[in-house]
Amino acid sequence: LFSLRIVRIAGHELLACCTHILWNPKRGLVKLWQIDCLLRHVAQARDRTGAAVLLMGDFNCVPHSLLYRFLCGQNVCTPEATEGTWDGMYGSQRSYSPQRPKGGSHGLVELAAPPLTKLLRSAYAQIGEPPCTTSHRGFTGTVDYVWFEASRFKLAGMLPVLSAQKIQSLRGLPTSDQPSDHIPIGCELIWTCEQMADGQAPDAGSLRGQPS
């Protein structure tokens, strides 16, 4: 589900976490549970160590989907029967039609977003999430993100990404030039002045976050 490490960079503690959320679009409830558990484990480690948070990986949900909004701090209150649409990945594509198994629960799912979500910011969100980070199984879109603790870092730059048109022209991934079914994303972060223990300017305390 995730790998979490505490590392020391430029004299400061960094809590770096990389995750891969379940792909299966039919299992929205499992994906929601995984994201909630991830955020709560990261929050516990942050509270215990005081380290600044950097969270990245393949979240298998598109921007503005229910799961993405949960990551942004929005509470969930929705019928469980709609879980096949929560990741937003195939909602407008005829090639996939979410179906629930017979006899399952059709109750209302209510879940409050963990407080940590209020502290995190997506690196690309201020200019718009990338148009595409993967193309496979008939799906082309964005599912990979870098989230950082906004009060502890200043965003200094982002890695340019391929356009959706370019990726579609490749007729899917991987290719000889793009050896993964995901394209790399990344950002450069600088410790904020509040984070600098020695009172010096944070120009020597930059770091780069890039999920593989």
Side-chain angles (χ1 to χ4, degrees):
L1 176 61
F2 65 89
S3 175
L4 190 155
R5 293 184 62 189
I6 307 266
V7 295
R8 191 166 183 82
I9 298 178
H12 307 288
E13 297 292 331
L14 173 71
L15 196 163
C17 182
C18 188
T19 188
H20 188 286
I21 300 300
L22 177 72
W23 169 79
N24 191 343
K26 297 180 182 181
R27 305 299 300 275
L29 192 60
V30 173
K31 298 170 84 160
L32 177 65
W33 175 81
Q34 288 184 345
I35 293 172
D36 184 58
C37 286
L38 167 68
L39 292 169
R40 295 184 187 280
H41 274 85
V42 171
Q44 289 174 2
R46 176 186 179 273
D47 292 343
R48 185 175 65 253
T49 65
V53 174
L54 179 63
L55 175 61
M56 51 196 163
D58 179 355
F59 290 82
N60 270 316
C61 63
V62 303
H64 312 302
S65 65
L66 180 145
L67 297 177
Y68 179 90
R69 296 195 303 271
F70 181 73
L71 280 160
C72 292
Q74 181 173 312
N75 298 338
V76 171
C77 182
T78 191
E80 184 183 347
T82 65
E83 68 170 315
T85 66
W86 292 0
D87 61 17
M89 291 171 62
Y90 291 90
S92 62
Q93 299 189 26
R94 295 182 180 180
S95 60
Y96 181 81
S97 178
Q99 296 180 353
R100 284 187 53 82
K102 295 181 180 179
S105 171
H106 294 268
L108 193 67
V109 175
E110 297 181 84
L111 183 63
L116 178 65
T117 59
K118 305 296 185 183
L119 307 178
L120 301 180
R121 179 182 302 167
S122 172
Y124 285 83
Q126 67 176 18
I127 62 170
E129 298 289 2
C132 179
T133 64
T134 187
S135 181
H136 64 100
R137 301 189 186 185
F139 169 80
T140 298
T142 296
V143 295
D144 304 283
Y145 308 95
V146 178
W147 302 82
F148 64 93
E149 193 170 347
S151 66
R152 312 285 285 275
F153 296 109
K154 177 182 177 181
L155 183 63
M158 293 164 289
L159 186 70
V161 297
L162 297 176
S163 67
Q165 293 76 13
K166 175 61 177 179
I167 292 179
Q168 289 173 338
S169 72
L170 300 175
R171 299 183 179 180
L173 297 172
T175 69
S176 58
D177 295 326
Q178 298 287 336
S180 171
D181 60 355
H182 292 252
I183 63 171
I185 62 172
C187 66
E188 183 172 4
L189 302 172
I190 300 176
W191 299 107
T192 61
C193 292
E194 291 80 2
Q195 182 72 9
M196 300 300 289
D198 55 9
Q200 299 299 313
D203 56 349
S206 65
L207 62 94
R208 292 175 175 84
Q210 180 173 325
S212 58

